[in-house]
Amino acid sequence: MAHGEKINKRKENKRKHIVDIFRHHPTLSKAEVKRYSGYSMDTVMNSFKILKNSGIIAPTEGKQKEKGRKAFFYTLDHEKQVYLGITFNQKAIYVSIVSFSNKILATSKRTIKSNISASEFSNAIINQIDEVLAQNPMYKKNLVAVGCSVPGDIDTKHGILHSYTLMPQLKEFNFNELLLSKFPNTRLFYDHNISSMISYVLSTSDITQRYNRIMIVSARAACAIGLIYKGEIVNSRGEIGHIKVSDSNIQCICGRKGCLDCYFSYKAFFELLKKYDSVRQDECYDNIVAVLNKHYSRRTPDIFEVLDNALKLFSDALLNVINIYSPDYILLTGELFEIFNDVVAEIDIHIKNLFKDTGYITMYKRAIMEFQGMKTETIAHGICLTLIKQDWGYTV
């Protein structure tokens, strides 16, 4: 019996591999799948039969050879299995519908106010979900799973947001209760937004083919890191923001004093701007980043010094993490980095001032570091890709 189960799993694994081949080559014949996969024609034919009967693939037109037998071509039915992804920040709610083929079928964005009440927030999410599903009746019919990717301190097991610095009114917001009422018979999945962002990077970039050890640093409300080793997520949410960087008595929300979050975070930068510039509590996040960037670029006295010191402290914390994990590649992303213009160059200056290279410790010198601006909507896409990998992942 166990032997039979093992054979069935191997056959299923091969079918998932064939589906992935279709993701890269949308229109294929059996002979072409045989060539790309290396499987026998018998395996390909049996796989095609099951995939066709289940509606995963469907006949389509293709380019025939000038000579020889007429070929029959197939393609994925993108609407056969779909996944719904939700994320948000203090500016908007984002919803995506993604096919099991990884194709984005629909997206939607709804602007919200940062001080929106919890009940209004609930209604906004449900209304936006309804709006996206209404675009095509097949989306609701073939919905496999719903993923919700949340910023802040999220309990991913129970779907409860304990806190989110930029929207304190959502403290203890129960996403599971909200989505269960909407999707009582659908698989629900919760994750942190940096995890979904990493999934997006892994699925849309070739960096895992070029580097073994990858570190992703996100700076939006605060700083967090994710670690990838040989294409697999090792840690999706490291708290670099709670590395101690100062002996000051500034109290951090984590209970310690002198943490990076006290200096390099949205809250710290907002308080700085409030002290020296006219800024409202409900000021748009983008506006605050843009104003700080202007002060940094103009080297405005007092403000520039505080911002530059914050980046110095971040660079010190980053160097500690680099020396521990020895990454080959570091990807910086997040709006807070946009305050500093060429943030990679500025960090390099600080680290070289902090770290007098003796030639013995080479972790930083060996690492490639780049900044890449990623829009929040990619997170809604990313959590769908996580769910798709759970269902359609395979071993070569």
Side-chain angles (χ1 to χ4, degrees):
M1 182 67 179
H3 184 62
E5 287 178 3
K6 190 172 182 180
I7 289 174
N8 288 336
K9 286 183 178 180
R10 287 178 62 188
K11 289 179 178 179
E12 181 183 12
N13 187 72
K14 290 177 180 178
R15 290 195 296 273
K16 290 177 178 179
H17 182 197
I18 289 171
V19 167
D20 193 48
I21 292 171
F22 270 103
R23 291 187 181 118
H24 300 284
H25 308 277
T27 302
L28 292 168
S29 67
K30 292 174 184 175
E32 288 171 328
V33 169
K34 177 181 180 298
R35 186 170 76 248
Y36 286 123
S37 68
Y39 299 145
S40 68
M41 182 52 77
D42 185 54
T43 295
V44 171
M45 289 179 70
N46 287 333
S47 297
F48 264 61
K49 182 179 179 181
I50 293 172
L51 292 172
K52 186 179 178 183
N53 289 342
S54 60
I56 297 298
I57 61 174
T60 190
E61 295 295 322
K63 187 178 180 180
Q64 298 288 346
K65 293 181 180 179
E66 292 182 7
K67 296 180 180 179
R69 228 176 182 183
K70 181 183 177 182
F72 293 93
F73 293 93
Y74 294 84
T75 190
L76 296 176
D77 181 352
H78 299 290
E79 296 175 0
K80 184 60 182 176
Q81 289 192 15
V82 301
Y83 298 77
L84 188 147
I86 307 160
T87 192
F88 73 97
N89 56 23
Q90 74 290 351
K91 297 181 294 182
I93 299 167
Y94 304 84
V95 176
S96 292
I97 299 284
V98 181
S99 164
F100 73 100
S101 67
N102 289 355
K103 181 180 180 181
I104 301 175
L105 301 178
T107 61
S108 178
K109 173 184 175 181
R110 180 183 292 259
T111 302
I112 58 173
K113 293 182 178 180
S114 62
N115 61 351
I116 186 174
S117 70
S119 59
E120 290 173 326
F121 181 71
S122 298
N123 292 334
I125 289 179
I126 295 301
N127 290 338
Q128 193 175 357
I129 290 171
D130 288 339
E131 182 182 300
V132 174
L133 291 177
Q135 293 181 25
N136 187 329
M138 299 303 290
Y139 295 162
K140 188 173 182 179
K141 179 181 177 183
N142 295 331
L143 184 63
V144 174
V146 176
C148 186
S149 192
V150 182
D153 181 15
I154 176 70
D155 178 346
T156 56
K157 183 178 180 180
H158 300 102
I160 297 174
L161 176 61
H162 293 312
S163 66
Y164 174 38
T165 306
L166 302 183
M167 299 177 74
Q169 72 275 20
L170 296 185
K171 182 178 175 64
E172 304 303 327
F173 188 91
N174 194 324
F175 285 93
N176 190 62
E177 186 178 88
L178 176 67
L179 295 178
L180 197 60
S181 66
K182 179 68 179 176
F183 303 103
N185 302 310
T186 304
R187 183 164 108 248
L188 302 177
F189 177 75
Y190 304 95
D191 211 344
H192 191 270
N193 58 359
I194 191 171
S195 303
S196 301
M197 186 184 66
I198 293 171
S199 290
Y200 177 82
V201 171
L202 288 176
S203 299
T204 59
S205 171
D206 67 343
I207 59 172
T208 57
Q209 297 170 18
R210 293 185 282 132
Y211 307 103
N212 283 332
R213 294 186 299 276
I214 297 168
M215 188 165 76
I216 297 178
V217 185
S218 174
R220 287 182 166 84
C223 295
I225 67 165
L227 299 172
I228 301 166
Y229 181 66
K230 292 187 175 180
E232 296 296 327
I233 298 174
V234 177
N235 180 12
S236 63
R237 193 184 161 200
E239 292 286 357
I240 188 174
H242 295 293
I243 291 178
K244 187 177 177 68
V245 293
S246 169
D247 293 327
S248 75
N249 287 321
I250 300 177
Q251 185 76 46
C252 180
I253 58 170
C254 75
R256 298 204 303 169
K257 295 178 180 179
C259 290
L260 179 62
D261 256 14
C262 300
Y263 306 92
F264 196 98
S265 64
Y266 172 82
K267 182 180 179 182
F269 292 149
F270 180 82
E271 291 299 322
L272 169 66
L273 200 56
K274 202 164 63 170
K275 184 177 179 181
Y276 291 103
D277 208 329
S278 57
V279 59
R280 302 189 313 273
Q281 187 69 38
D282 62 346
E283 188 84 42
C284 175
Y285 180 91
D286 284 348
N287 291 346
I288 289 171
V289 169
V291 171
L292 286 170
N293 173 256
K294 183 174 67 175
H295 285 300
Y296 185 82
S297 301
R298 294 177 178 176
R299 301 177 76 90
T300 305
D302 297 325
I303 296 181
F304 173 81
E305 284 77 11
V306 174
L307 289 173
D308 194 52
N309 184 61
L311 188 61
K312 176 185 175 182
L313 295 173
F314 169 82
S315 301
D316 196 10
L318 181 66
L319 182 59
N320 289 334
V321 178
I322 290 171
N323 286 337
I324 292 170
Y325 293 112
S326 188
D328 303 312
Y329 177 80
I330 304 159
L331 176 62
L332 306 179
T333 184
E335 292 88 346
L336 295 185
F337 288 131
E338 295 176 9
I339 294 170
F340 302 95
N341 296 326
D342 187 350
V343 69
V344 173
E346 297 297 333
I347 289 171
D348 190 56
I349 291 170
H350 281 302
I351 286 183
K352 285 178 177 174
N353 287 332
L354 289 164
F355 177 50
K356 305 304 180 185
D357 186 8
T358 61
Y360 288 99
I361 307 300
T362 61
M363 283 74 169
Y364 174 72
K365 189 160 55 177
R366 288 191 297 101
I368 304 296
M369 182 161 59
E370 295 178 338
F371 171 78
Q372 190 178 132
M374 290 188 196
K375 303 299 182 183
T376 305
E377 51 262 36
T378 62
I379 294 172
H381 184 186
I383 196 165
C384 291
L385 295 174
T386 298
L387 291 165
I388 292 165
K389 186 176 181 181
Q390 289 175 4
D391 293 345
W392 289 93
Y394 65 94
T395 303
V396 178

